[in-house]
Amino acid sequence: MRMRRKKRLEERIAACGGLIISMERADRNYTVKDDNDMLDIDGLFGRQAPLTLEIGCGKGRFITELALSQPEINFIAVEKSANVVVDAAEKAQRLGLKNVRFLKGSAEYLDCYIPQGSAERIYLNFSCPFPKKSYAAHRLTHRNFLAIYEKLLSAGGDIRQKTDNAGLFEFSLQEFSQCGWGLRNVSLDLHNSQIDNNIMTEYEEKFSSQGLPIYYLEAYKRG
C-alpha cells in the first residue's frame, strides 16, 4: 500500500535548509552534458573530506548516528521517498549535523550525480529484497547496481550490507562473487559474531528483538 503523502511536505523539505537534494532525472536515456550535472561534493559540505554513502537511509537513525560518531567523514544518504527522507533530514537538522546531506531519488541514477571514484564506502542496510525472480534486477545488489557502485568507489573502497532476508543475502553473495568482488567478514548472525562497531537501524532493532538473525558482508573492489 502506498504511503500517504505527509501534510506540509514541501514546506518541511524547504525548512531543512538545503540538506535534501533532489535527483530530477526520470530515466537513464540521456547523456550527461557537462560537469554541472555532477554534484560538487567539496562545495556541498564546504570542505574536503572522505565520502561515505548510504543507499536507502529510511528515517535516518543509522546515518545520523554514524555521522555523529565520525565527524571527519562526509556522508550522503540516498532515499527515493520524499515522505521518508524528510524525517531523516529533520533528524540531522535537530542534531546540528554539518557532515550529512540527503539525495532524494533512485540508486540507478547515482553515477549521474556522484563523481566517479569519490566514495570510500557504501552502506546497504535492509534493502527491499524483491523476492520475485522477475524483480531481481531491482535488488540493490544486482550486477547492474554493482557496476554503478564500482564507478562511485575509490580504489580500495568497499560495500557493507546488512539484511534480515536470507534469500537476498544468498543472491548478494552470488552477485558479488560472480562480478569479481572480494568478500570479507561474512556473517550469518551479525549480533553473535566478533564484528564490532555496529550501529543498528530501525529495522535491525525490530528484527533482532524478534530473535531473527542479521546477515552481514563486506565486499571490496579487487585490484
Side-chain angles (χ1 to χ4, degrees), residues 19 63-64 67-68 91-93 95-101:
L19 290 181
I63 199 66
T64 53
L68 278 170
K91 185 174 294 184
Q93 190 175 49
L95 292 169
L97 292 171
K98 305 298 184 184
N99 62 330
V100 62
R101 299 291 185 274

Side-chain angles (χ1 to χ4, degrees), residues 51-167:
L51 177 67
T52 288
L53 307 178
E54 183 190 13
I55 301 176
C57 69
K59 294 183 178 180
R61 172 177 170 176
F62 177 85
I63 199 66
T64 53
E65 289 192 24
L66 191 62
L68 278 170
S69 69
Q70 299 181 24
E72 74 281 5
I73 306 293
N74 290 335
F75 295 92
I76 292 179
V78 183
E79 176 58 55
K80 64 181 179 181
S81 169
N83 266 353
V84 176
V85 76
V86 71
D87 287 333
E90 287 174 340
K91 185 174 294 184
Q93 190 175 49
R94 288 193 300 271
L95 292 169
L97 292 171
K98 305 298 184 184
N99 62 330
V100 62
R101 299 291 185 274
F102 299 87
L103 273 181
K104 182 177 73 66
S106 298
E108 61 191 293
Y109 313 129
L110 278 175
D111 57 335
C112 302
Y113 291 87
I114 304 294
Q116 185 170 337
S118 60
E120 293 190 353
R121 180 160 295 155
I122 296 174
Y123 287 97
L124 302 174
N125 293 320
F126 300 91
S127 310
C128 180
F130 291 103
K132 292 185 179 180
K133 288 185 178 180
S134 58
Y135 289 171
H138 294 281
R139 299 169 189 161
L140 289 183
T141 49
H142 186 273
R143 60 193 58 201
N144 292 346
F145 286 105
L146 298 189
I148 294 172
Y149 306 152
E150 189 166 6
K151 293 179 187 177
L152 304 183
L153 286 170
S154 59
D158 67 9
I159 296 173
R160 299 191 174 189
Q161 181 190 20
K162 288 193 288 188
T163 181
D164 66 305
N165 189 282

